[in-house]
Amino acid sequence: MTHTMRAAVLHSFGEPLMLEERPIPEPGPGQVVVRIVASGICYTDLHIARGDWPGKPPLPLILGHEGTGEVIELGSGVTHLKKGERVGIPWLYTSCGQCDYCLEGRENLCPHQQNTGFSVPGTYAEYVLAEAAYVVHLPNNLDYYEAAPLLCAGVTSYTALKEAEVHAGQWVAVVGIGGLGHLAIQYAHAMGVHVAALDISEEKLLLAHELGAEVTINTHYQNPVARIQHLISGAHAVIVTAATADAFTKTIGMLRRGGTCVLLGLPPGDFAIPIIDAVLHHITVRGSLVGTRKDLREALHFAAEGKVKAMTDIYPLEDVNYAFTQLAQGHIHGRAVLRIA
Ligand code: NAD
Ligand code: ZN
Ligand code: ZN
């Protein structure tokens, strides 16, 4: 084995990633080294690379938190994984295990968590170091490419549906039919929930229709509040995955009385909530952050059972900056995935 690997590295915010040779990591106690085959490109990676968020990671940084591949090295004390095992590397690199949130099984809220491709090196690389307790076993019938988007987009949209508290026969409106949204549609259907899909792109709405959304609305041309209220008398829940703040402003008005709006998109900014409507209509607004390890296993299980399938646009690692541009311009069909091995 050579001792260096190829990786896409962010050196300064707003600049393209650089393809570089980096040392292959060695596992410490409780860690594993994974040879990466595929890595999804989440819009979060774009936010990080542009420096959109107030919290900034230390640079240089290898991005990526939807990695899939094979365990090649085990650190001491790792007993539940084997060499050659097929695994996924999620956003949650590690959590403290001791805080109130960790003890409640809500480790995705741990204030001491570390995140793959943010506080530690990520999966846009031929090899990555991972904490054995936080990698997930991949079901045998999922290939590396269709599994990768589930590591963040899948678990995030699946968990959002649970947080939305929608039930079979009810309606969810999904705002933004990209990486997260195209999976949210499928998880909703698998749960027996009707879907209204909203986007600014006709291509995304066509995909939503193919994936089974019963209602599609182009918010560029149509007033989403009027359309949703007219067509389905309001949604029981709205899930907002758009990465632009203006997409959030109309979401409360789309809800039915008693409805829940789940916020997933992470554009910087804020939006106004009309107090009287929110109170009189008994509205809940809730943020939702990725999911727990248990949520991730469940999210993968839906795909293993054939109920959810990520659509992928595959790019070689060296085209990562082109893939970023395609994502920023709204040209990705489902999820962009890097071919690394
Ligand atoms: P994406 O680009 O694949 O999908 C976003 C979709 O929103 C696109 O289809 C785009 O056309 C659509 N859109 C843009 N403006 C819109 C508008 N005004 N109205 C309706 N639709 C609009 O991005 P993604 O990878 O799915 O990520 C989306 C956001 O979710 C990002 O901000 C990302 O950081 C965030 N995210 C959050 C979590 C979490 O845990 N909450 C996890 C992953 C990603
Ligand atoms: Zn992500
Ligand atoms: Zn903790």
Side-chain angles (χ1 to χ4, degrees):
M1 189 165 89
T2 58
H3 294 284
T4 62
M5 62 175 188
R6 280 187 318 144
V9 184
L10 177 68
H11 281 272
S12 56
F13 299 109
E15 296 293 326
L17 306 188
M18 310 273 278
L19 257 316
E20 290 173 4
E21 292 291 320
R22 286 298 193 95
I24 295 174
E26 305 262 352
Q31 296 181 326
V32 294
V33 174
V34 176
R35 186 179 67 90
I36 296 291
V37 175
S39 177
I41 299 182
C42 182
Y43 205 106
T44 287
D45 301 336
L46 264 189
H47 288 308
I48 297 169
R50 291 174 183 159
D52 280 351
W53 294 341
K56 293 193 172 43
L59 300 184
L61 174 69
I62 302 173
L63 296 176
H65 57 269
E66 286 187 347
T68 55
E70 181 190 350
V71 174
I72 57 147
E73 294 285 349
L74 302 174
S76 62
V78 178
T79 52
H80 75 289
L81 293 173
K82 306 183 294 291
K83 281 191 191 181
E85 188 152 346
R86 300 168 74 250
V87 294
I89 317 291
W91 171 250
L92 188 67
Y93 175 83
T94 189
S95 60
C96 80
Q98 300 300 325
C99 71
D100 287 353
Y101 307 102
C102 284
L103 293 177
E104 286 166 359
R106 303 174 86 195
E107 70 270 18
N108 56 322
L109 305 187
C110 176
H112 310 295
Q113 70 186 273
Q114 288 188 284
N115 299 112
T116 313
F118 186 72
S119 47
V120 297
T123 56
Y124 293 1
E126 289 176 300
Y127 300 89
V128 73
L129 196 62
E131 291 287 324
Y134 291 80
V135 305
V136 65
H137 170 77
L138 293 184
N140 292 336
N141 59 344
L142 283 187
D143 78 38
Y144 287 119
Y145 291 90
E146 65 187 46
L150 305 175
L151 271 300
C152 175
V155 62
T156 301
S157 47
Y158 169 66
T159 304
L161 279 154
K162 294 207 278 187
E163 294 293 335
E165 298 178 74
V166 274
H167 308 298
Q170 297 185 330
W171 282 88
V172 64
V174 179
V175 181
I177 310 302
L180 271 57
H182 91 288
L183 291 168
I185 294 172
Q186 299 179 56
Y187 281 110
H189 272 167
M191 297 172 187
V193 174
H194 299 294
V195 177
L198 297 88
D199 206 294
I200 50 173
S201 144
E202 281 303 317
E203 280 168 40
K204 309 280 180 135
L205 293 172
L206 202 60
L207 173 64
H209 179 74
E210 285 163 11
L211 294 174
E214 291 98 332
V215 168
T216 58
I217 298 171
N218 189 325
T219 57
H220 199 67
Y221 305 111
Q222 296 179 297
N223 176 336
V225 174
R227 290 300 290 164
I228 289 281
Q229 292 298 347
H230 172 71
L231 291 169
I232 60 172
S233 307
H236 298 84
V238 177
I239 294 179
V240 195
T241 81
T244 46
D246 63 319
F248 288 66
T249 53
K250 299 230 171 80
T251 52
I252 305 299
M254 291 196 264
L255 289 170
R256 283 186 187 217
R257 292 170 183 238
T260 299
C261 183
V262 181
L263 312 180
L264 294 182
L266 282 163
D270 44 46
F271 73 105
I273 296 174
I275 297 169
I276 293 173
D277 283 355
V279 174
L280 298 188
H281 294 171
H282 212 105
I283 295 305
T284 302
V285 179
R286 173 179 292 161
S288 185
L289 181 59
V290 196
T292 65
R293 287 172 287 179
K294 180 71 163 46
D295 295 324
L296 176 54
R297 287 185 188 192
E298 292 170 9
L300 286 166
H301 215 96
F302 276 76
E305 289 176 337
K307 293 173 179 157
V308 168
K309 186 171 164 55
M311 315 289 294
T312 55
D313 275 356
I314 298 174
Y315 297 85
L317 177 62
E318 50 272 25
D319 289 350
V320 61
N321 291 306
Y322 176 65
F324 267 27
T325 311
Q326 293 291 96
L327 177 60
Q329 295 176 354
H331 296 323
I332 304 293
H333 198 73
R335 193 55 132 189
V337 177
L338 294 172
R339 186 193 312 117
I340 296 181

